[in-house]
Amino acid sequence: EALMRVIEAKLEGVEVEAPEPVEEGTKIVDLMKLLEDSVKAATDARSKGGEEPVSVEEAKKAREKRPARRPAAKAKEEAKPARRRKTA
């Protein structure tokens, strides 16, 4: 209906003005700000609840004290040979 009015007005020689565009409310997100905030929150949480850094020597001593996860000899016994593929 509105289009027909515009067409008729043009036929009669009346100058038709375009309506002003309606501004839509857009929410712009600053991704860098969000990323910086996230990194800061993660580092703050880590520094509050985390342990003090350990020197390399202390870490090696602690590793020697705890038992091995899986003895090397036992690991070799349990290892299975690679499965062969069938050929045509």
Side-chain angles (χ1 to χ4, degrees):
E1 208 176 296
L3 179 61
M4 288 303 293
R5 279 188 259 148
V6 171
I7 293 172
E8 290 173 5
K10 282 193 173 194
L11 290 174
E12 293 174 7
V14 178
E15 190 173 321
V16 180
E17 294 181 25
E20 293 184 26
V22 178
E23 292 184 30
E24 296 180 18
T26 58
K27 185 176 181 180
I28 298 174
V29 178
D30 186 3
L31 295 177
M32 284 303 294
K33 175 88 170 118
L34 291 174
L35 178 62
E36 289 170 354
D37 292 344
S38 173
V39 169
K40 184 178 180 195
T43 54
D44 289 346
R46 185 179 292 172
S47 66
K48 288 180 184 177
E51 299 176 3
E52 295 281 326
V54 180
S55 70
V56 175
E57 291 177 15
E58 291 174 2
K60 286 182 180 180
K61 288 178 185 178
R63 181 183 290 165
E64 289 173 0
K65 289 179 184 178
R66 67 177 184 229
R69 294 183 185 160
R70 188 173 189 187
K74 189 175 183 180
K76 287 182 182 179
E77 291 174 5
E78 292 179 11
K80 295 180 181 178
R83 185 174 173 185
R84 292 185 175 217
R85 294 186 179 188
K86 295 182 181 180
T87 58

